[in-house]
Amino acid sequence: MRTRMTLSTVLVSAAFSLAAPIASSEPCDISQTKCVVNDGKCNIKFRNVTGQSSGSGNGTDLSQRSYAVTIKVKAKKDNGNTAGNVLSIDAAANKAMNIDKKANKDFKNIKVTSVSNRTIAPVTLNCEAVKAVLNGNGTCKIYHGLRGDFADSFDYRLGYNCDAGNVAGPG
């Protein structure tokens, strides 16, 4: 009886560990990106195009909508804290984030949120997306979009389209 209970406990534990996503606690390593290898500047230029109604939604499952909002762009650590300064970008404005400095502070991803309307879901660029942008043209457009059919849903969220459409999300 005791053997069966122990075996059952092991099987249940194994099933739960397989079902749980494995989260990497490693910081984002940009050491092999084009900008680092070529001794260049590792910046990402964020363009707030939330006020535009088209041109940025390609490659995602969002339908782009025009709703101009101020956004905040922040590099996040594994513990959820911000790694360095936060960019606040008004609609139709641009700002660059120095990713080298974020890497020195062990950032894990970049989170973009709406300042003016908190009902708009944020979007996160994971480490792989950040590295792809750094290996590309270093530019990201942040836009406002709607997931699903407009008649059935009001699931508004931010999206990103970077490196001329090669890196996009969510999707």
Side-chain angles (χ1 to χ4, degrees):
M1 174 94 155
R2 183 171 171 84
T3 305
R4 286 185 192 169
M5 187 180 298
T6 305
L7 184 57
S8 297
T9 305
V10 168
L11 290 175
V12 169
S13 297
F16 279 121
S17 67
L18 289 175
I22 299 172
S24 170
S25 61
E26 296 293 316
C28 188
D29 178 13
I30 64 167
S31 64
Q32 298 304 309
T33 58
K34 180 174 72 173
C35 58
V36 173
V37 172
N38 296 334
D39 291 326
K41 292 186 179 182
C42 291
N43 294 331
I44 295 178
K45 181 180 178 183
F46 289 94
R47 296 179 54 209
N48 181 344
V49 296
T50 55
Q52 296 178 5
S53 60
S54 65
S56 297
N58 299 336
T60 72
D61 59 358
L62 297 182
S63 172
Q64 188 173 352
R65 298 284 190 250
S66 175
Y67 186 77
V69 295
T70 299
I71 58 171
K72 277 196 178 179
V73 181
K74 46 189 150 186
K76 304 292 277 184
K77 294 182 178 185
D78 190 43
N79 63 8
N81 291 338
T82 302
N85 64 330
V86 175
L87 301 179
S88 182
I89 309 172
D90 293 330
N94 308 311
K95 286 193 180 172
M97 178 177 274
N98 184 323
I99 304 301
D100 280 334
K101 288 183 180 178
K102 307 305 178 194
N104 291 337
K105 296 179 187 259
D106 295 333
F107 86 102
K108 184 173 181 169
N109 57 43
I110 296 176
K111 185 173 183 178
V112 183
T113 58
S114 169
V115 174
S116 357
N117 187 337
R118 299 205 190 276
T119 63
I120 300 171
V123 67
T124 301
L125 285 82
N126 63 23
C127 181
E128 293 308 311
V130 170
K131 291 192 282 189
V133 174
L134 292 174
N135 283 324
N137 67 13
T139 301
C140 280
K141 296 179 194 173
I142 306 298
Y143 67 95
H144 175 259
L146 174 70
R147 179 172 277 159
D149 183 14
F150 185 73
D152 297 334
S153 170
F154 291 101
D155 186 10
Y156 293 108
R157 47 189 63 242
L158 295 173
Y160 61 89
N161 187 306
C162 308
D163 189 31
N166 293 324
V167 182

